[in-house]
């Protein structure tokens, strides 16, 4: 194994040992961070620590921007693929951009979402020389990063997006923040101005490493062309291991142009990170969890996005225990929503019976979740009667919002495998009987089902989603924007497998649905992909219709068009006496007309489209959408008075749940 050489990549939260061999950085580029770690204004979010004895916090107090240390090489099992056949001879010099593209090929990348610019032209030229990587050209860098997220969410593999320096790089910010909050593995690559110009306020220069430091799991500024193979390997490893997240690689243009003979056998140098990866769960802890289950009368599973890779193990666990399952927005599909033990979604707009179950439970099994405020509401009242077991891969999440009685910091998949082995080994001795508890919850299901009202010929948005669920047999991949349509899609489409549901959860980024559908369609070309969108979200990235047409992606857009920012309108109705504060998205001069005409956007991009305005025509219109080859847009006109129910007001408890009313009433 080759000995490690000093790195010339800026890589955050690594200690400085020697800077003598590295190009000196102009101080203008370095974020002015105080040396006082107690300063509360300098809170950033690194995830890799060089010190294996200090716990890595998700919200630590201090981070410094320094050059990565020449630590001893870290042996890993993830060795370079010796079977890869390069188009270059081993000793043939090639540009740094070609090294980058080959490094992506060696990671198994077949699709990228890249928008060119001056500082990334070399990368795009290199992409044209690749026989294996296809570039799906977005029409906006935000569309590219959201598409990379859709790719990752639908496939489980890291998505890759590429942008130029300056505004191109800053247009990735929302997507990186979204991926960070939802733990989505993406690798974002940005061009940067040449090294000699960094810090000079050059044309299209932004210090994107500094801008994105707190919203990436890790990031790099490459200052030595020889580091590219190692950095790319590290980036993919970091993005997909432990708690997944986004990694950014910033590459100056002169590095892209420099000739080099790459060394593909460089080991990764992540000793601090590797030392901190969670260990397998201890059997004693798992035995303790099994004992708590055997003592419980009213247990509930609370499962989140951390369970998406352990759906099979979760189903087996439920089969062995008979415990009902409530899912977070991010966890939908990890356990089949149509199963009799599913309580569907809990939280602010979760089902009454899911929130009832958590409120009444004496044991809450929280697997792969982070006790988000949209789930818990008032923390003191959430599961106040229950003993709490929290299993999560990220130690910083355990006890952050809600203190558990038993905690296990481990991969949920390994923990569930261990629990299932114990349960199977003790089946003769363990006799779980939660039938009385399940019957109590079934009564709640019958008493408070998800429902909606119909007013004349108007189309209830919930009904349109229900019909889509029926006509696709619940088998489509669904993407959404953010707002009322997102919540209705979570409630009324039944997700029976993981990675069917792609939505912006933690960040709540409008404009997510259409580009995410592009990524999902590229990752799963044989799947039916439907973007259930709202008119407000849809128009934020409407330009991506051009990408869909050019790539001929068979994406169906079902637009629930109420001419308003629906969720904000709902809050105006409930809490602001229905005073409209800039939430009408139509043309005030012609309020009775649909504006803008979404069908014209589709027509401009050569995409078939139709509008439906009455409930009786919905089923046939959706069937036509699904039967039409290639992309299609269906504009479903719905009333703006509809409210997403149930609803627990922000900061409220289960006792505050709202189950009746809409914008036709006064509050």
């Amino acid at each position: 194994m080759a000995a490690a050489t000093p790195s010339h990549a800026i890589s955050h939260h690594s200690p400085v040992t020697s800077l003598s061999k590295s190009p000196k950085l102009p101080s203008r580029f370095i974020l002015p961070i105080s040396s006082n770690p107690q300063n509360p204004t300098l809170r950033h979010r690194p995830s890799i620590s060089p010190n294996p004895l200090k716990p890595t916090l998700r919200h630590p107090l201090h981070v410094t921007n320094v050059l990565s240390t020449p630590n001893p090489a870290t042996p890993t099992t993830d060795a370079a693929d010796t079977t890869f056949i390069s188009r270059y001879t081993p000793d043939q010099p090639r540009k740094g951009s070609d090294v980058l593209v080959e490094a992506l090929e060696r990671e198994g990348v077949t699709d990228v979402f890249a928008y060119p610019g001056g500082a990334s032209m070399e990368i795009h030229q290199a992409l044209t020389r690749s026989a294996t990587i296809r570039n799906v050209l977005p029409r906006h860098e935000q569309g590219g990063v959201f598409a990379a997220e859709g790719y990752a969410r639908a496939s489980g593999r890291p998505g890759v997006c590429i942008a130029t320096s300056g505004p191109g790089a800053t247009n990735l910010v929302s997507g990186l923040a979204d991926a960070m909050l939802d733990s989505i593995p993406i690798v974002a690559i940005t061009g940067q101005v040449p090294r000699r110009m960094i810090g000079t306020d050059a044309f299209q220069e932004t210090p994107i490493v500094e801008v994105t430091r707190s919203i990436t799991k890790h990031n790099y500024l490459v200052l030595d062309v020889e580091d590219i193979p190692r950095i790319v390997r590290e980036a993919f490893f970091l993005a997909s291991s432990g708690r997944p997240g986004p990694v950014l690689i910033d590459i100056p243009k002169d590095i892209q142009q420099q000739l080099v003979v790459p060394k593909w056998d460089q080991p990764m140098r992540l000793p601090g990170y590797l030392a901190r990866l969670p260990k397998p769960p201890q059997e004693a802890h798992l035995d303790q969890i099994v004992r708590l289950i055997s003592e419980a009368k009213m247990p509930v599973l609370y499962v989140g996005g951390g369970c998406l890779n352990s759906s099979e193990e979760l189903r087996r666990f439920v089969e062995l225990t008979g415990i009902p399952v409530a899912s977070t927005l991010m966890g939908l599909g990890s356990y089949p929503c149509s199963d009799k033990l599913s309580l569907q979604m809990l939280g602010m707009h979760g089902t009454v019976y899911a929130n009832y179950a958590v409120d009444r439970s004496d044991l809450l099994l929280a697997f792969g979740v982070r006790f988000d405020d949209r789930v818990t509401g008032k923390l003191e009242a959430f599961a106040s009667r229950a003993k709490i077991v929290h299993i999560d891969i990220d130690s910083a999440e355990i006890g952050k919002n809600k203190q558990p009685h038993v905690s296990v910091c481990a991969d949920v998949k390994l923990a569930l495998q261990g629990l299932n082995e114990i349960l199977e080994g003790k089946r003769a001795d363990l006799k779980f009987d939660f039938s009385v508890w399940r019957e109590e919850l079934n009564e709640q299901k019958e008493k408070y089902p998800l429902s909606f009202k119909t007013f004349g010929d108007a189309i209830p948005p919930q009904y349109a989603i229900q019909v889509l669920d029926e006509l696709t047999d619940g088998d489509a991949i669904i993407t959404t924007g953010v707002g009322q349509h997102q919540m209705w899609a979570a409630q009324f489409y039944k997700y029976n497998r993981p990675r069917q549901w792609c939505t912006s959860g933690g960040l709540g980024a409008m404009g997510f649905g259409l580009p995410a559908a592009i990524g999902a369609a590229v990752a799963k070309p044989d799947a039916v992909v439907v973007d259930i969108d709202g008119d407000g979200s849809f128009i934020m990235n409407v330009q991506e219709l051009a990408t869909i047409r050019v790539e001929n992606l068979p994406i169906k857009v079902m637009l629930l068009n109420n001419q308003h920012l629906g969720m904000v309108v709902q809050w105006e109705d409930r809490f602001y006496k229905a005073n409209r504060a800039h939430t009408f998205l139509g043309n005030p001069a012609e309020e009775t007309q649909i504006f803008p005409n979404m069908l014209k956007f589709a027509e401009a991009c050569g995409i078939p489209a139709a509008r439906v305005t009455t409930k009786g025509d919905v089923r046939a219109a959706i069937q036509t959408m699904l039967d039409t080859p290639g992309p299609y847009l269906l504009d479903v006109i719905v009333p703006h008075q509809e409210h997403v129910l149930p609803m627990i007001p922000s900061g409220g408890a289960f006792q505050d749940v709202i189950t009746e009313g809409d914008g036709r009433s006064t509050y």
Side-chain angles (χ1 to χ4, degrees):
M1 182 174 290
T5 55
S7 167
H8 296 284
I10 285 189
S11 171
H12 66 262
H13 35 80
S14 297
V16 174
T17 54
S18 171
L19 308 185
S20 59
K21 295 184 180 180
S22 301
K24 186 174 182 180
L25 292 178
S27 60
R28 283 287 307 275
F29 190 79
I30 299 176
L31 191 68
I33 295 179
S34 164
S35 60
N36 178 9
Q38 303 305 316
N39 188 338
T41 66
L42 304 177
R43 300 195 178 204
H44 294 284
R45 192 178 190 180
S47 58
I48 306 169
S49 169
N51 184 353
L53 300 178
K54 290 183 70 176
T56 298
L57 299 179
R58 204 161 167 80
H59 294 282
L61 291 175
H62 181 60
V63 63
T64 56
N65 183 12
V66 294
L67 300 184
S68 54
T69 177
N71 286 326
T74 302
T76 72
T77 56
D78 188 20
D81 185 1
T82 55
T83 62
F84 182 86
I85 301 174
S86 174
R87 60 183 177 274
Y88 297 95
T89 59
D91 58 351
Q92 182 180 356
R94 78 288 312 255
K95 287 185 174 182
S97 57
D98 288 297
V99 176
L100 172 68
V101 169
E102 184 169 324
L104 295 176
E105 291 172 345
R106 288 170 179 264
E107 292 296 330
V109 174
T110 56
D111 302 279
V112 298
F113 305 91
Y115 196 89
S120 63
M121 285 178 62
E122 290 286 351
I123 299 172
H124 283 262
Q125 290 295 311
L127 284 170
T128 66
R129 295 188 280 272
S130 171
T132 57
I133 297 180
R134 159 200 185 191
N135 181 34
V136 178
L137 178 67
R139 267 36 181 193
H140 190 289
E141 291 92 353
Q142 186 182 93
V145 67
F146 282 161
E149 274 200 87
Y151 182 98
R153 290 172 189 259
S155 68
R157 303 187 301 273
V160 180
C161 60
I162 303 173
T164 190
S165 63
T170 56
N171 279 339
L172 301 180
V173 165
S174 291
L176 293 171
D178 190 59
M180 187 69 176
L181 279 167
D182 287 352
S183 304
I184 306 301
I186 63 172
V187 174
I189 298 167
T190 52
Q192 183 55 275
V193 299
R195 285 173 295 177
R196 67 184 181 280
M197 298 171 69
I198 290 176
T200 67
D201 295 332
F203 177 67
Q204 291 194 333
E205 180 198 356
T206 55
I208 197 63
V209 164
E210 307 306 333
V211 170
T212 63
R213 185 175 303 287
S214 61
I215 54 169
T216 51
K217 186 176 179 183
H218 198 54
N219 57 24
Y220 297 89
L221 172 60
V222 181
L223 293 175
D224 189 329
V225 68
E226 293 187 357
D227 286 340
I228 291 176
R230 174 183 60 80
I231 285 173
V232 171
R233 286 186 60 216
E234 288 181 6
F236 277 83
F237 178 74
L238 289 167
S240 54
S241 61
R243 180 175 181 171
V247 177
L248 180 133
I249 306 173
D250 195 29
I251 311 178
K253 189 168 183 177
D254 60 326
I255 294 284
Q256 299 170 35
Q257 295 170 326
Q258 190 174 339
L259 292 177
V260 68
V261 176
K263 298 175 182 176
W264 298 109
D265 58 351
Q266 297 179 57
M268 293 190 297
R269 289 207 297 275
L270 300 169
Y273 179 76
L274 292 170
R276 319 184 69 74
L277 285 175
K279 307 296 187 288
Q282 295 181 22
E283 190 171 346
H285 292 158
L286 301 182
D287 278 328
Q288 190 177 4
I289 295 170
V290 171
R291 181 176 58 78
L292 288 174
I293 295 171
S294 67
E295 294 170 354
K297 302 294 184 191
M298 296 179 287
V300 176
L301 271 159
Y302 156 36
V303 301
C307 291
L308 289 175
N309 290 332
S310 50
S311 177
E312 188 178 328
E313 291 81 3
L314 177 62
R315 290 198 302 271
R316 179 60 179 155
F317 179 79
V318 175
E319 187 182 311
L320 290 168
T321 61
I323 298 174
V325 184
S327 172
T328 68
L329 182 74
M330 289 299 302
L332 287 172
S334 55
Y335 187 80
C337 289
S338 58
D339 188 86
K340 63 182 181 181
L341 285 177
S342 173
L343 301 172
Q344 295 179 252
M345 188 172 71
L346 82 164
M348 177 178 282
H349 292 296
T351 62
V352 169
Y353 39 90
N355 289 320
Y356 173 91
V358 171
D359 187 64
R360 290 267 295 145
S361 67
D362 60 3
L363 178 64
L364 185 68
L365 301 173
F367 292 176
V369 297
R370 59 188 180 93
F371 290 88
D372 177 69
D373 62 285
R374 287 295 168 110
V375 167
T376 64
K378 187 178 180 180
L379 270 170
E380 300 78 26
F382 182 75
S384 58
R385 302 172 175 86
K387 291 179 180 176
I388 296 175
V389 173
H390 191 182
I391 302 177
D392 199 272
I393 201 165
D394 185 356
S395 60
E397 292 298 343
I398 294 173
K400 185 179 81 175
N401 292 330
K402 190 80 174 177
Q403 195 63 43
H405 296 79
V406 176
S407 64
V408 177
C409 181
D411 187 333
V412 171
K413 190 179 187 77
L414 295 179
L416 281 168
Q417 287 172 351
L419 286 168
N420 291 343
E421 286 179 15
I422 293 171
L423 292 168
E424 286 166 351
K426 296 182 177 180
R427 289 184 81 174
D429 302 322
L430 294 171
K431 301 292 182 184
F432 300 128
D433 183 9
F434 304 123
S435 56
V436 174
W437 171 231
R438 289 195 297 267
E439 186 57 40
E440 182 179 339
L441 297 180
N442 286 336
E443 289 174 9
Q444 291 294 310
K445 285 185 178 184
E446 292 175 13
K447 189 174 179 181
Y448 297 105
L450 286 173
S451 61
F452 54 87
K453 296 176 182 177
T454 301
F455 295 87
D457 289 334
I459 302 171
Q462 305 94 323
Y463 172 73
I465 295 168
Q466 212 171 52
V467 171
L468 179 68
D469 181 46
E470 292 172 17
L471 295 180
T472 58
D473 294 322
D475 199 41
I477 293 175
I478 303 295
T479 68
T480 74
V482 170
Q484 286 183 314
H485 69 276
Q486 176 191 29
M487 294 296 102
W488 286 319
Q491 292 176 337
F492 287 91
Y493 200 96
K494 300 297 180 280
Y495 305 94
N496 291 319
R497 55 184 168 80
R499 308 203 175 281
Q500 260 189 284
W501 168 244
C502 303
T503 196
S504 173
L507 190 67
M510 292 176 67
F512 178 83
L514 192 63
I518 292 173
V522 170
K524 300 288 183 181
D526 298 326
V528 176
V529 179
V530 182
D531 171 29
I532 300 175
D533 225 327
D535 49 314
S537 281
F538 176 72
I539 207 168
M540 284 196 174
N541 272 315
V542 68
Q543 76 284 341
E544 300 308 325
L545 286 175
T547 301
I548 290 171
R549 176 72 281 171
V550 168
E551 298 289 339
N552 199 30
L553 298 172
I555 292 167
K556 316 300 182 184
V557 180
M558 189 170 84
L559 193 59
L560 302 181
N561 188 347
N562 65 5
Q563 296 283 281
H564 287 74
L565 281 173
M567 188 62 84
V568 186
V569 165
Q570 176 170 334
W571 281 54
E572 287 176 340
D573 287 341
R574 293 283 177 177
F575 311 118
Y576 294 90
K577 299 180 180 179
N579 180 46
R580 296 287 174 259
H582 322 117
T583 47
F584 176 59
L585 299 179
N587 183 356
E590 297 182 78
E591 288 193 15
T592 59
Q593 302 299 312
I594 301 299
F595 177 87
N597 187 344
M598 300 297 184
L599 306 184
K600 294 294 185 182
F601 287 131
E603 181 186 340
C605 294
I607 292 175
R611 176 177 291 158
V612 59
T613 58
T614 59
K615 184 182 178 187
D617 296 331
V618 166
R619 185 173 293 271
I622 293 177
Q623 190 64 64
T624 299
M625 175 183 76
L626 295 171
D627 291 343
T628 303
Y632 192 96
L633 186 147
L634 181 62
D635 192 18
V636 184
I637 307 303
V638 299
H640 72 271
Q641 296 95 337
E642 291 294 327
H643 284 187
V644 180
L645 297 174
M647 178 184 182
I648 297 175
S650 181
F654 173 66
Q655 286 71 24
D656 305 314
V657 65
I658 299 168
T659 58
E660 292 291 334
D662 55 29
R664 300 170 183 89
S665 307
T666 303
Y667 303 96

